[in-house]
Amino acid sequence: PKQHNSDNENTSDDVTTAGQPPWYDEINYFLSDKECNGFIEEVVFYHQRSKSLIVTDLIQNHNVDSCPGYDKNKKFIYRCVGISKTTGGGIPIDYKCGFHFPFGNIQKARQTLQQALDWWDFDKILITHGDSIIENAREYYSSFINVKI
């Protein structure tokens, strides 16, 4: 996988353009690529100072009960596909399918996503689509990569 750690000069041309991004010294990242999931490439970030793992589409945790704009049908669908906070959050079903043969490689995906646990000392997960995981973040992430995908 393409990666960047502040003590490692190996960076991805796919993620950076000219030179290093302005956040180069503060945020580490790695890429889960099309070999892992045939539908999406996911960049997983780690903000050192706040000890935060940051995910964009990989994990979704929509709070359908307290956010405005979720009608009865949308709440039902989000719960059924496992991306509602009431079901513990998860990965959208189409992305989940992308980790499995013939689209992706589940073993490679788990190895790649395991890097966050191996490399970084995070204590929370900031989620673009839904509520963040503030407590037991490492356990949640471990369960996610070993059970939910």
Side-chain angles (χ1 to χ4, degrees):
K2 298 170 180 135
Q3 63 191 14
H4 159 69
N5 284 303
S6 57
D7 59 347
N8 180 347
E9 295 302 317
N10 182 17
T11 59
S12 167
D13 290 334
D14 294 341
V15 177
T16 61
T17 54
Q20 300 302 335
W23 41 265
Y24 179 79
D25 291 328
E26 295 182 34
I27 299 177
N28 299 336
Y29 63 88
F30 66 83
L31 175 68
S32 173
D33 60 20
K34 293 278 186 169
E35 289 181 45
C36 296
N37 187 312
F39 298 149
I40 63 166
E41 290 187 327
E42 177 77 6
V43 180
V44 179
F45 298 94
Y46 174 64
H47 184 253
Q48 300 166 36
R49 200 170 8 171
S50 66
K51 298 177 80 171
S52 300
L53 190 71
I54 306 166
V55 296
T56 53
D57 295 320
L58 183 66
I59 300 172
Q60 298 189 19
N61 194 32
H62 298 270
N63 191 343
V64 297
D65 293 321
S66 67
C67 290
Y70 289 100
D71 63 24
K72 183 173 78 171
N73 294 329
K74 195 175 208 180
K75 288 179 183 183
F76 174 76
I77 290 169
Y78 277 35
R79 286 186 178 113
C80 286
V81 299
I83 58 173
S84 166
K85 185 173 183 173
T86 57
T87 59
I91 184 167
I93 196 162
D94 55 339
Y95 292 171
K96 184 174 185 168
C97 291
F99 285 114
H100 299 275
F101 181 81
F103 308 110
N105 182 325
I106 189 67
Q107 288 79 23
K108 185 174 187 317
R110 285 192 172 122
Q111 285 178 325
T112 300
L113 297 172
Q114 176 68 34
Q115 293 173 138
L117 289 165
D118 295 343
W119 294 349
W120 304 326
D121 185 29
F122 63 92
D123 60 9
K124 65 189 82 54
I125 304 171
L126 306 182
I127 299 173
T128 305
H129 299 288
D131 289 354
S132 296
I133 306 298
I134 303 301
E135 296 178 2
N136 302 313
R138 295 183 67 79
E139 293 83 3
Y140 180 93
Y141 185 82
S142 178
S143 172
F144 174 80
I145 62 174
N146 291 302
V147 177
K148 293 203 175 195
I149 64 169

